[in-house]
Amino acid sequence: MPFAGGRAINPAMKSFYVTSPIYYVNDVPHIGHAYTSLACDVLARFMRFDGHRVFFLTGTDEHGQKVAKSAAAAGVDPQAFTDKVSQNFRALLPALGCSNDDFIRTTEKRHAASCQAIWKAMAARKTPKGNDNIYLGAYSGWYAVRDEAYYEESELTTGPDGKKRAPSGAEVEWVEEPSYFFRLSDWGDWLLEWYAKNPDAVGPASRRNEVASFVKQGLQDLSISRTTFDWGIKVPGDEKHVMYVWLDALTNYITAVGYPDVDSERFKIFWPASVHMVGKDIVRFHAVYWPAFLAAAGLEPPRRVYAHGWWTNEGQKISKSLGNVIEPNKLIETYGLDQVRYFLMREVPFGQDGDFSNAAMIRRMNTDLANDLGNLGQRVLSFVAKNAGAAVPSPGAYLDADRALLDKAAAMLSIVRAELAQQGFHKALDAVFAVVADANRYVDAQAPWSLRKTDPARMATVLYALMETLRRVGLLLQAYMPGTMAKLLDQLAVPADKRDAGAWDEALVPGTALPAPQGLFPRHVEAGEGTKK
């Protein structure tokens, strides 16, 4: 049975379901959106490579008071407003090289049906303490329209202008209105037990500790409907209310896999989600509210929520007012797609905050990619083309130095597999580029240019060991730099059906003709740099 994206479901394969947050349409795509989407794409690509059935979801969050206000300010209908802005996020995905299987919009009919179904499921069940999960009351408290979030008085600060602000800096307003409530206060013990039984349910560890500490302080019941505006999904049975935008938004993760049809093939295969990838600012919604909503509806919580950090720009906080928002398409236009993908996944330990700088970007491009990997591929393949008949050489007996390199290359798969299981994107790359560094040292130590005259058979063995190392490097880096690694594997004459983990030990066939070598990563030269004397 095919699913969105056209890939067939093979029941014999393990499943992997990865989601980005759905992006709020009151914004324009920036580096933060690109970062999360790329992390999901690397995971999705690697898991497909490693033999999993993968479902990769992203999309846009289109309801709520903030969108209604923005549409009114623009003088357009909210649906027309979201249609236009959602397309900006959809268009970013192919520009980033993302391989998502579905793109969900919360204004779709399938999603409205899913939201109303989970509401009914929660309302029909009791909390762990035997109370109704949903009850009608009245809400009065502080609400941040920008965050679409409620805050306790103790969380607020008062600025010089006398206005109260949320921890995010968003201005809050006092709201009083009838509201349905979710009895979150009854779910605290259940959540703490879930964290304890599933230590990997929230990552990294610092975020898990932060979430658990929040829950231990005691949870307040959560207002989950609004009546002061109507741009949202109607509460079933009481259409004066629209659902709280976060309940609506979070439900997208089950909508896309077929909910409320829990007996559908897709739902049974892919739920619970393997990883919800989020920014650290929304970890509470995903690691506290969402598991409680799901449990209240009789559904399994996700296996893991991972919250990454934020980027600054040249040491400054990114903001519209400073005019330093990093636009992904401009980055790609300036530096190249795979170079940007590599930098964002390598430069910062995933989970921590990081700083983007042009100098760091160029350093990674010229050092890691052009000098280390690109130069290795170019010098080996060019040498083979000129001195080994433009074909895969036939190796002789391996010496200790050859085996050391080949063994390290062979071990990369298990290391990368373990690191990506914990979202250690940078650590996986560290392991691969450690082998690239070993290969460069091996070239210099073995000096095939000298062996060409003194020991051609030994030269062939050295070249074969290098090409086998490049093959395995290329296979693993496909998830990070798919376009460029396809070129490398083409130059190594690796068949298209031998580019997954199942072919990890299927070595290059001696005598296979090779195409003419081409450079992989040109050095980046800043405008005007080449004319300096």
Side-chain angles (χ1 to χ4, degrees):
M1 174 183 174
F3 55 85
R7 300 181 185 88
I9 294 176
N10 178 354
M13 299 165 69
K14 294 180 181 179
S15 63
F16 185 81
Y17 179 25
V18 60
T19 71
S20 79
I22 52 173
Y23 301 119
Y24 206 58
V25 293
N26 212 43
D27 205 349
V28 294
H30 55 65
I31 191 172
H33 303 119
Y35 189 49
T36 319
S37 297
L38 284 177
C40 293
D41 187 61
V42 171
L43 280 181
R45 287 178 179 275
F46 178 79
M47 290 300 178
R48 292 189 196 107
F49 163 84
D50 206 23
H52 291 69
R53 294 164 299 179
V54 170
F55 194 73
F56 166 19
L57 176 70
T58 187
T60 45
D61 176 9
E62 303 180 20
H63 287 133
Q65 187 176 8
K66 185 163 56 174
V67 171
K69 285 187 172 183
S70 295
V76 297
D77 175 78
Q79 187 65 62
F81 177 83
T82 59
D83 287 346
K84 180 179 180 181
V85 184
S86 177
Q87 183 57 36
N88 295 333
F89 287 92
R90 190 187 291 268
L92 178 63
L93 295 163
L96 292 171
C98 287
S99 59
N100 55 297
D101 296 290
D102 197 356
F103 184 96
I104 191 167
R105 299 180 58 189
T106 56
T107 49
E108 296 175 20
K109 289 182 179 179
R110 60 170 171 164
H111 184 63
S114 179
C115 287
Q116 293 193 327
I118 195 173
W119 182 287
K120 291 177 182 178
M122 291 191 296
R125 296 169 64 89
K126 300 293 185 181
T127 73
K129 297 183 179 181
N131 297 308
D132 290 338
N133 276 303
I134 296 176
Y135 62 92
L136 182 61
Y139 175 76
S140 60
W142 296 103
Y143 187 75
V145 174
R146 194 182 83 186
D147 297 346
E148 298 282 12
Y150 305 96
Y151 293 99
E152 296 295 318
E153 181 97 34
S154 60
E155 297 181 272
L156 307 179
T157 56
T158 303
D161 56 2
K163 294 180 179 179
K164 293 184 180 295
R165 286 181 167 77
S168 65
E171 187 176 333
V172 296
E173 59 185 38
W174 184 259
V175 173
E176 295 186 17
E177 61 183 324
S179 177
Y180 284 94
F181 285 81
F182 175 69
R183 208 178 299 270
L184 186 64
S185 58
D186 277 11
W187 286 94
D189 291 342
W190 180 91
L191 284 164
L192 292 172
E193 184 177 354
W194 181 59
Y195 303 144
K197 288 182 177 179
N198 303 277
D200 288 335
V202 183
S206 60
R207 301 294 168 215
R208 183 181 65 243
N209 295 338
E210 170 190 319
V211 164
S213 177
F214 173 75
V215 174
K216 286 175 183 176
Q217 292 171 15
L219 297 173
Q220 302 296 315
D221 291 349
L222 182 66
S223 172
I224 55 169
S225 75
R226 302 292 304 275
T227 58
T228 53
F229 63 94
D230 63 1
W231 180 239
I233 294 173
K234 302 295 184 182
V235 168
D238 192 347
E239 294 198 349
K240 297 189 299 293
H241 292 251
V242 296
M243 292 185 196
Y244 175 41
V245 68
W246 270 103
L247 173 57
D248 168 354
L250 290 163
T251 301
N252 92 90
Y253 301 129
I254 53 175
T255 300
V257 290
Y259 189 78
D261 185 0
V262 296
D263 293 321
S264 69
E265 184 179 15
R266 189 185 299 180
F267 192 88
K268 288 190 290 186
I269 288 171
F270 290 112
W271 192 260
S274 306
V275 183
H276 288 323
M277 192 73 70
V278 301
K280 66 179 183 178
D281 54 324
I282 55 174
V283 67
R284 183 186 301 180
F285 299 96
H286 285 79
V288 178
Y289 302 165
W290 181 225
F293 291 158
L294 288 165
L299 300 172
E300 289 187 71
R303 292 195 175 96
R304 184 163 169 84
V305 174
Y306 194 94
H308 63 70
W310 290 340
W311 286 86
T312 54
N313 185 358
E314 305 284 355
Q316 282 191 313
K317 182 179 178 180
I318 295 175
S319 72
K320 293 179 183 177
S321 60
L322 291 175
N324 65 345
V325 173
I326 301 174
E327 204 280 304
N329 287 302
K330 290 183 180 178
L331 271 188
I332 293 166
E333 181 182 338
T334 302
Y335 299 117
L337 173 56
D338 279 353
Q339 288 87 338
V340 170
R341 288 175 62 104
Y342 173 80
F343 176 84
L344 291 178
M345 293 295 101
R346 180 80 191 274
E347 180 69 8
V348 178
F350 199 75
Q352 298 181 20
D353 293 343
D355 183 55
F356 177 88
S357 73
N358 289 293
M361 179 83 210
I362 294 168
R363 182 172 62 252
R364 286 289 185 191
M365 291 171 62
N366 288 344
T367 301
D368 300 3
L369 299 181
N371 288 359
D372 295 347
L373 178 55
N375 189 47
L376 175 66
Q378 183 71 11
R379 69 199 297 205
V380 170
L381 291 169
S382 294
F383 193 87
V384 170
K386 294 177 182 178
N387 301 289
V392 178
S394 296
Y398 290 133
L399 302 182
D400 288 347
D402 311 326
R403 291 195 179 279
L405 178 63
L406 290 169
D407 287 350
K408 286 182 179 179
M412 285 189 297
L413 176 57
S414 60
I415 297 171
V416 169
R417 185 181 283 146
E419 293 296 352
L420 290 185
Q422 295 295 315
Q423 291 71 61
F425 298 97
H426 61 294
K427 292 182 179 179
L429 286 172
D430 287 346
V432 174
F433 275 80
V435 172
V436 171
D438 287 340
N440 276 307
R441 287 189 288 269
Y442 173 85
V443 174
D444 294 337
Q446 300 302 318
W449 47 88
S450 298
L451 294 171
R452 179 171 60 88
K453 297 179 180 179
T454 61
D455 194 342
R458 174 64 189 154
M459 176 196 75
T461 302
V462 168
L463 293 174
Y464 186 85
L466 286 164
M467 291 181 68
E468 256 301 286
T469 300
L470 281 169
R471 180 184 72 90
R472 284 178 157 150
V473 166
L475 289 176
L476 289 179
L477 291 182
Q478 289 177 105
Y480 292 88
M481 299 179 285
T484 311
M485 290 307 102
K487 293 178 183 178
L488 173 59
L489 295 171
D490 286 347
Q491 292 181 56
L492 292 166
V494 177
D497 62 350
K498 302 294 183 184
R499 298 187 181 186
D500 59 22
W504 184 249
D505 292 322
E506 296 189 27
L508 295 169
V509 178
T512 302
L514 301 172
Q518 297 178 345
L520 299 174
F521 298 104
R523 285 185 60 80
H524 181 83
V525 178
E526 288 286 78
E529 187 177 325
T531 62
K532 293 179 181 177
K533 295 183 179 179

